[in-house]
Amino acid sequence: MTQPKHTIVALVADRPGVLNRVASLFRRRGFNIESIAVGRTEMKGVSRMTIVVSGDTATVEQVRKQLDKVIDVIKLSDITDEDRVDRELALIKVKTTPQNRSEIMQIVDIFRANIVDVAAESVTVEVTGDEDKISSLLNLLRDFGIKEVARTGRLAMTRGTVPT
Amino acid sequence: MKLTGAQIVCESLAREGVEVMFGFPGGTLLPFYDTLRHYPQLRHILVRHEQGAAHAADGYARATGRPGLCCATSGPGATNLVTGIANAYLDSSPVIAMTGQVARPFIGKDAFQEIDITGITLPITKHNYIALSAADLARIFKEAFYIATTGRLGTVLIDIPRDVFIEEAEFHYPVKVDLPGYKPILRGHPAQIRKAAQLIDRAKCPVIISGRGVIISGAHQEIRELAEKAQIPVITTLLGTSSFPENHMLSLGMLGMHGLAYANMAVTHADLVIAIGMRFDDRATGIVSGFAPKASIIHIDIDPAEIGKNVRVDVPIVGDVKHVLRELNKQVTNQTHVGWIQQLEQWRQEHPSIDIRGGEELLPQYVIRSICEVTNSDATIVTGVGQHQMWSAQHFCYKKPNSFISSGGLGTMGFELPAAIGVKVGRPEETVWCVAGDGGIQMTIQELATMVQERLAIKIAIMNNGYLGMVRQWQELFYGRRYVATPLMGPDFLKIADAYGISALRVKKRSEVIPAIQRAMEHDGPFLIDFMVEPEESVYPMVPPGATLAQVIECPKRKAAVPSTSGTVSNI
Ligand SMILES: Cc1ncc(C[n+]2csc(CCOP(=O)(O)OP(=O)(O)O)c2C)c(N)n1
């Protein structure tokens, strides 16, 4: 049975080891992290983590409560049921031949992705979007032969004026 | 004015009112120790192993309610603290551990005696720090004490590189902490408290389960008021032992794996469980699916993450137990529960589960009862882990708040002696009995030297059964009496005592027990008694692992049981 996914946003103090504190908590308590993405915010000394976890409601409730106990975690919100924007970035290096290059470019165009590097036998595609969009593009490009993929994991933010 | 890092540390400890610390020096701590000379108000107790320092700090913290401090050098010193830190963490004891670290330029190079102690202790501390500049020290100490002593109490570690002790910085001790992510909730939610009061008013067969949170929050008076006002019997967890006077009409004793049969029955038949400052440890609940099957559950705890973690809860109240009980007591109405209390009384008669056999055999239970009798319950009992721990919980009648100190969450053998040192340092006027296993005491026996050097008049009772008793009991019950690796040869404890300059006695017969305890009490100084107890005595009742509280094994009948030897064991 696949467990429902939850999107949790944590604002954390930008102190050494904070990512380790959060990640090791997940491992220690047997919670499953699907992805975790971290970066600075508009506030000095505050980083933002977007964490995707899978599990039943009780498990995710425990995740939240245990995370809340980490001293460096300043604020925590479960935005799973909020109206929100989800984004992931992926870099995809695809094998090319002189014959199929334009076909690849067309697909990239349709997905409003960009080609950011061109080499003799490959191109590198940059795509942003939600998980589904990136997966669909990957599926289409798979036929040409994928050499390398790098994905960021999910970033999320609620829509409108209410901050997360 | 500029101070060195080491001076800043000492000043910070002084500002926090620290009077004593337990430690063991080493290269990275030398700048600190050299500065300590100038702070005579900071008593430093030299232990013989860093694990002892952490347990002693833990014992001190449990006994006094003030944070306990321990320190160790980098590398092996720091790793020796780990068991003690984990022990304090799991029992929510406010311990501050300070470790030396290699100088900053060496960090990450696998330098001599370098270990990533903040990494190692991440899962066993409430929070930890590595101080990367002397200018951070004052803030870190201020925060560390605040974190350790507020909310759910906990253990904090501060790792300080050797050159940070030497570096100079301006010293300003902060008045306030600024931790935006840390806001302990002290007051319970009024609507939840109202709901709880209504449930209590409606209950026919309520019980209170009182845990260590009651002791930590100093809510002895409040819990008693609740019990008396609404006439609710009180059961304690192992670590809740001594949170409620056991000679009280409404005391039912301990629940759980070695809880009393009727206490476990009470929980099984209750229609309302009021769980206060306890965390539904599996040793207390038995298998959770069968725990309190008929009851609604009110759970009061300061840690939101404890609520709903192990059992479903109908009315959660997050807050400090004392605050919450004060509010609750205003709203709860007077009740009687005559039928329920009679029912419990009847079970008590039918399951006199802690009566012990008559005769001359030296039973460990008899020893505990005798310590209770001779001291008239006016003693603090510090135990290790194993059978003697359970007998100490079952057979001593705890009347004074916080008079039972034991390792619950981690169950650390070897806790007894160093913890007793911490307790005696914290309560010098009190009688402290260290009840030890012959196995456990050998894990930290070197602390006898610390005890003697510090002139601590601790009384030690070794329950010498020649086995790692509790494990032997499991082998007896669940592994067909195949005693692998549990028969244990001890040293001659009298000679050990003599080597450390401690007076001691050996006791082999029941008739010698009381006179020996009296001797120990009259003796001005530490005293050790080696009780040669029945080797294959087991702890009953017992809820087997994986069973529910209703599936308790009571003491198999051997000889006729005698009721308690004296009035010391309460109304059980
Ligand atoms: C450090 C540690 N190692 C192992 C255990 C497992 N254990 C639990 S009780 C026990 C036996 C304790 O023997 P002893 O100290 O002689 O006490 P007794 O049970 O005989 O009273 C053991 C080995 C433990 N709790 N702690």
Side-chain angles (χ1 to χ4, degrees):
Chain A
M1 196 188 80
T2 56
Q3 302 267 29
K5 284 187 188 177
H6 286 252
T7 305
I8 293 172
V9 171
L11 296 181
V12 301
D14 211 350
R15 297 238 178 105
V18 62
L19 177 59
N20 187 18
R21 277 180 207 283
V22 170
S24 77
L25 184 145
F26 278 84
R27 185 188 52 76
R28 175 160 58 94
R29 300 224 173 236
F31 302 140
N32 202 7
I33 312 186
E34 302 258 328
S35 88
I36 185 163
V38 197
R40 299 242 165 88
T41 63
E42 76 285 4
M43 291 167 279
K44 195 168 164 272
V46 178
S47 288
R48 180 181 174 109
M49 293 187 185
T50 309
I51 307 163
V52 182
V53 282
S54 55
D56 56 28
T57 330
T59 310
V60 175
E61 181 66 12
Q62 257 300 302
V63 171
R64 243 177 47 79
K65 285 174 171 175
Q66 295 295 346
L67 271 180
D68 221 4
K69 280 169 65 167
V70 176
I71 307 281
D72 289 334
V73 171
I74 298 166
K75 191 176 169 217
L76 209 71
S77 353
D78 184 343
I79 58 169
T80 310
D81 298 326
E82 307 287 318
D83 188 13
R84 62 172 201 273
V85 186
D86 282 355
R87 286 294 181 273
E88 227 181 273
L89 165 70
L91 294 174
I92 309 164
K93 195 177 283 176
V94 195
K95 276 192 207 154
T96 56
T97 58
Q99 290 76 29
N100 66 17
R101 188 167 282 168
S102 67
E103 193 184 341
I104 291 173
M105 285 169 75
Q106 265 180 20
I107 294 172
V108 167
D109 261 358
I110 295 167
F111 276 80
R112 276 187 266 153
N114 300 311
I115 289 182
V116 290
D117 186 51
V118 180
E121 292 172 352
S122 68
V123 294
T124 302
V125 180
E126 170 209 67
V127 57
T128 55
D130 62 18
E131 213 182 320
D132 282 351
K133 173 176 169 185
I134 292 173
S135 302
S136 319
L137 178 59
L138 266 171
N139 277 339
L140 288 173
L141 294 178
R142 197 155 281 139
D143 294 342
F144 302 97
I146 288 177
K147 295 173 80 129
E148 224 178 309
V149 176
R151 294 172 75 157
T152 56
R154 185 185 297 177
L155 291 181
M157 198 175 263
T158 51
R159 289 179 193 274
T161 47
V162 188
T164 37
Chain B
M1 195 184 56
K2 286 204 163 182
L3 299 182
T4 66
Q7 285 171 324
I8 293 175
V9 170
C10 290
E11 284 295 329
S12 304
L13 296 180
R15 302 289 152 111
E16 292 293 339
V18 173
E19 291 166 348
V20 61
M21 61 193 300
F22 304 88
F24 201 93
T28 53
L29 280 183
L30 275 181
F32 168 69
Y33 274 91
D34 196 49
T35 307
L36 201 54
R37 288 181 302 136
H38 304 296
Y39 290 82
Q41 72 271 39
L42 268 175
R43 174 178 174 196
H44 179 274
I45 293 182
L46 176 68
V47 293
R48 298 301 182 270
H49 182 296
E50 290 86 350
Q51 182 181 351
H55 288 325
D58 187 352
Y60 174 87
R62 293 183 202 222
T64 62
R66 296 197 295 272
L69 212 84
C70 58
C71 68
T73 192
S74 67
T79 53
N80 274 351
L81 281 180
V82 167
T83 302
I85 291 175
N87 187 76
Y89 174 72
L90 279 186
D91 286 347
S92 312
S93 192
V95 166
I96 300 199
M98 189 177 106
T99 46
Q101 183 53 278
V102 299
R104 283 167 293 183
F106 294 99
I107 290 179
K109 312 267 164 60
D110 298 325
F112 177 65
Q113 295 192 331
E114 182 195 357
I115 210 78
D116 172 18
I117 195 65
T118 44
I120 290 177
T121 56
L122 200 64
I124 52 167
T125 48
K126 185 171 175 186
H127 196 54
N128 65 20
Y129 295 91
I130 175 159
L132 289 173
S133 108
D136 292 341
L137 282 169
R139 172 187 60 82
I140 288 176
F141 271 82
K142 177 76 190 177
E143 287 179 6
F145 276 88
Y146 180 70
I147 291 169
T149 56
T150 54
R152 178 175 182 168
L153 308 189
T155 307
V156 179
L157 178 135
I158 306 168
D159 195 30
I160 307 174
R162 188 190 146 89
D163 56 336
V164 171
F165 279 123
I166 297 164
E167 187 179 56
E168 291 194 346
E170 281 297 329
F171 175 70
H172 300 287
Y173 203 62
V175 187
K176 274 195 170 151
V177 294
D178 177 25
L179 290 166
Y182 179 67
K183 289 194 192 63
I185 303 165
L186 296 183
R187 292 185 189 280
H189 194 282
Q192 294 297 93
I193 294 177
R194 205 170 323 120
K195 249 200 244 168
Q198 285 162 359
L199 263 187
I200 294 171
D201 283 350
R202 280 203 304 267
K204 298 262 181 313
C205 313
V207 294
I208 291 171
I209 303 178
S210 173
R212 190 167 130 71
V214 173
I215 295 174
I216 291 174
S217 125
H220 305 87
Q221 202 44 52
E222 286 75 10
I223 199 164
R224 192 168 166 165
E225 190 182 327
L226 173 64
E228 286 173 357
K229 196 168 177 194
Q231 286 292 301
I232 306 175
V234 180
I235 301 171
T236 53
T237 63
L238 175 69
L239 288 190
T241 300
S242 77
S243 61
F244 189 77
E246 295 186 350
N247 55 340
H248 193 285
M249 271 286 296
L250 290 164
S251 167
L252 281 190
M254 181 171 75
L255 95 160
M257 180 170 273
H258 292 296
L260 306 177
Y262 42 83
N264 286 340
M265 286 171 81
V267 175
T268 304
H269 292 277
D271 67 353
L272 177 66
V273 167
I274 310 160
I276 309 179
M278 57 87 77
R279 61 192 180 91
F280 296 101
D281 182 274
D282 47 283
R283 287 281 147 110
T285 60
I287 207 139
V288 285
S289 54
F291 177 77
K294 303 174 184 167
S296 307
I297 297 180
I298 299 170
H299 189 188
I300 306 171
D301 202 286
I302 196 155
D303 182 355
E306 285 304 335
I307 290 181
K309 186 175 84 178
N310 297 334
V311 301
R312 67 180 163 84
V313 170
D314 300 282
V315 182
I317 306 176
V318 176
D320 178 71
V321 165
K322 192 173 180 133
H323 283 291
V324 173
L325 286 181
R326 280 200 179 147
E327 289 309 307
L328 193 59
N329 285 340
K330 287 184 200 156
Q331 298 180 30
V332 166
T333 59
N334 293 318
Q335 303 280 334
T336 53
H337 302 303
V338 179
W340 173 232
I341 286 170
Q342 275 172 355
Q343 172 69 77
L344 292 171
E345 191 49 44
Q346 190 188 331
W347 285 335
R348 203 199 289 272
Q349 305 290 335
E350 290 166 5
H351 304 269
S353 42
I354 67 159
D355 283 349
I356 61 175
R357 301 193 301 284
E360 255 310 281
E361 284 169 300
L362 181 45
L363 293 183
Q365 301 93 320
Y366 180 83
V367 174
I368 305 291
R369 286 171 184 223
S370 302
I371 295 175
C372 186
E373 186 177 316
V374 173
T375 59
N376 195 19
S377 285
D378 190 9
T380 295
I381 305 293
V382 186
T383 82
V385 171
Q387 294 182 312
H388 66 281
Q389 175 188 35
M390 295 302 151
W391 287 317
S392 297
Q394 292 174 341
H395 294 274
F396 192 97
C397 179
Y398 297 90
K399 298 181 192 164
K400 278 198 314 183
N402 198 12
S403 53
F404 173 78
I405 290 180
S406 191
S407 162
L410 194 66
T412 311
M413 279 172 77
F415 173 76
E416 54 267 60
L417 182 56
I421 288 175
V423 172
K424 186 68 182 171
V425 168
R427 298 181 180 172
E429 304 306 323
E430 252 185 44
T431 302
V432 175
W433 273 90
C434 168
V435 179
D438 52 331
I441 197 158
Q442 291 187 62
M443 286 198 164
T444 47
I445 200 159
Q446 66 279 24
E447 302 308 333
L448 287 174
T450 310
M451 184 178 96
V452 172
Q453 184 169 353
E454 294 296 322
R455 301 173 189 279
L456 300 169
I458 295 165
K459 315 296 173 185
I460 301 170
I462 300 179
M463 298 290 161
N464 193 342
N465 52 13
Y467 282 108
L468 296 171
M470 187 57 97
V471 180
R472 182 210 60 75
Q473 173 168 347
W474 284 48
Q475 290 172 332
E476 174 187 332
L477 294 174
F478 311 120
Y479 294 88
R481 292 194 72 191
R482 294 184 295 278
Y483 295 165
V484 180
T486 47
L488 171 81
M489 213 188 79
D492 181 336
F493 287 112
L494 296 198
K495 285 191 181 156
I496 297 263
D498 191 43
Y500 285 108
I502 299 167
S503 304
L505 273 180
R506 178 165 293 128
V507 171
K508 292 182 173 161
K509 289 209 296 277
R510 208 182 273 204
S511 55
E512 299 164 354
V513 171
I514 297 224
I517 296 169
Q518 279 165 343
R519 266 272 311 272
M521 291 293 293
E522 283 155 15
H523 181 80
D524 182 22
F527 201 95
L528 182 150
I529 309 176
D530 187 18
F531 288 103
M532 309 302 288
V533 297
E534 267 297 293
E536 293 193 45
E537 188 64 18
S538 289
V539 184
Y540 290 106
M542 179 177 195
V543 173
T548 67
L549 292 185
Q551 296 163 300
V552 54
I553 315 174
E554 296 196 49
C555 185
K557 289 259 181 308
R558 288 195 255 182
K559 291 179 207 153
V562 292
S564 53
T565 47
S566 63
T568 52
V569 173
S570 64
N571 50 341
I572 345 190

